Amino acid sequence: DQQVKQNSPSLSVQEGRISILNCDYTNSMFDYFLWYKKYPAEGPTFLISISSIKDKNEDGRFTVFLNKSAKHLSLHIVPSQPGDSAVYFCAASAYQANNDMRFGAGTRLTVKP
Amino acid sequence: DTGVSQDPRHKITKRGQNVTFRCDPISEHNRLYWYRQTLGQGPEFLTYFQNEAQLEKSRLLSDRFSAERPKGSFSTLEIQRTEQGDSAMYLCASSQGQGAYYGYTFGSGTRLTVV
C-alpha cells in the first residue's frame, strides 16, 4: 500500500530558477512530513521537515508547504543550484501512532547550469 | 561520531546462500531501522528496534529474514536461502526517539546482488 506518492519521477530546471517537488499522501494519521535528498552511492540525507500544525517551514533556500485538506506537500528550492541535482524523497510518519516513516518513490531533480 | 556505518557495502551471493549484514548506528541513538530499496522505488520499511527490542516488523519481512540488535547497539540483518528477488539496497538508519521531526540518519547501505 503506497501511502506516500511522488507522481513525477523526474524534474529538470535551469540554474537560478525555482524547483517545485510535489508529494501526496493518503493516511490521515500522518502528522510529520519530511524531505530527504539522496546522491548516488549514499544513503538519504534529511533535508527539512514540517509538522501538521504548520503549513510552511523554511530553511534557507528550501521551503516546505503543507496542505492538509488536500493531503499534499511540496518542496520549493529557490534559487536552484547544480549541486541540488539529486533524488528527493518525501516521507511521512504518524507520531502519535508511534509508527515508522513511509517514503515516496522519489523525484530525480536535475539542475542545468 | 562517524554516522551510521553499514558493512559490507556490496555483497554478491548465489541463490540459496545465507547472507548477513551489519549496521552500527550513531551511539547515542536508541532507535534503529532497516529499510530495503529497489530500483526506482523509495525505501521500504522492514523492521525497527528501540534499544534491543524489535517493536515492529513489516509483512515484507518473510520468515527467511531475521534481525537482531543485541545489547541495543549494532544490529544484524540475516537473509536465509536468498532468492533473486532479494536483490536490493538494504539501508540502515538510526534516530534518537521517533525521529519524526529531525529525521533518521541513514547509512550508505549494503547492495545485495543474488545471482
Side-chain angles (χ1 to χ4, degrees), chain A residues 40-56:
Chain A
E42 295 182 11
T45 303
F46 170 71
L47 193 57
I48 191 170
S49 64
I50 188 168
S51 74
S52 58
I53 62 173
K54 292 188 168 184
D55 54 16
K56 178 182 174 181

Side-chain angles (χ1 to χ4, degrees), chain B residues 73-85:
Chain B
S73 56
F74 71 92
S75 176
T76 57
L77 177 68
E78 181 183 16
I79 309 174
Q80 295 183 328
R81 306 180 303 281
T82 52
E83 302 173 356
Q84 286 189 321

Side-chain angles (χ1 to χ4, degrees), chain B residues 10-28:
Chain B
H10 303 275
K11 178 71 177 178
I12 300 174
T13 190
K14 291 184 178 179
R15 190 174 52 186
Q17 297 293 306
N18 299 345
V19 293
T20 300
F21 310 140
R22 177 181 171 121
C23 172
D24 287 272
I26 291 175
S27 55
E28 55 267 29

Side-chain angles (χ1 to χ4, degrees), chain A residues 7-22:
Chain A
N7 292 319
S8 298
S10 63
L11 174 68
S12 181
V13 300
Q14 208 66 34
E15 181 179 6
R17 307 294 292 268
I18 185 171
S19 295
I20 300 177
L21 297 98
N22 293 302

Side-chain angles (χ1 to χ4, degrees), chain B residues 33-79:
Chain B
Y33 311 84
W34 286 99
Y35 281 79
R36 181 174 70 185
Q37 185 178 13
T38 53
L39 197 62
Q41 299 298 316
E44 296 175 292
F45 169 75
L46 293 178
T47 188
Y48 87 89
F49 294 82
Q50 180 158 305
N51 301 312
E52 66 274 11
Q54 188 172 17
L55 295 187
E56 188 177 348
K57 290 166 58 172
S58 163
R59 64 177 186 272
L60 292 175
L61 213 67
S62 75
D63 56 6
R64 297 184 298 105
F65 287 70
S66 62
E68 294 182 340
R69 193 184 182 196
K71 303 177 184 177
S73 56
F74 71 92
S75 176
T76 57
L77 177 68
E78 181 183 16
I79 309 174

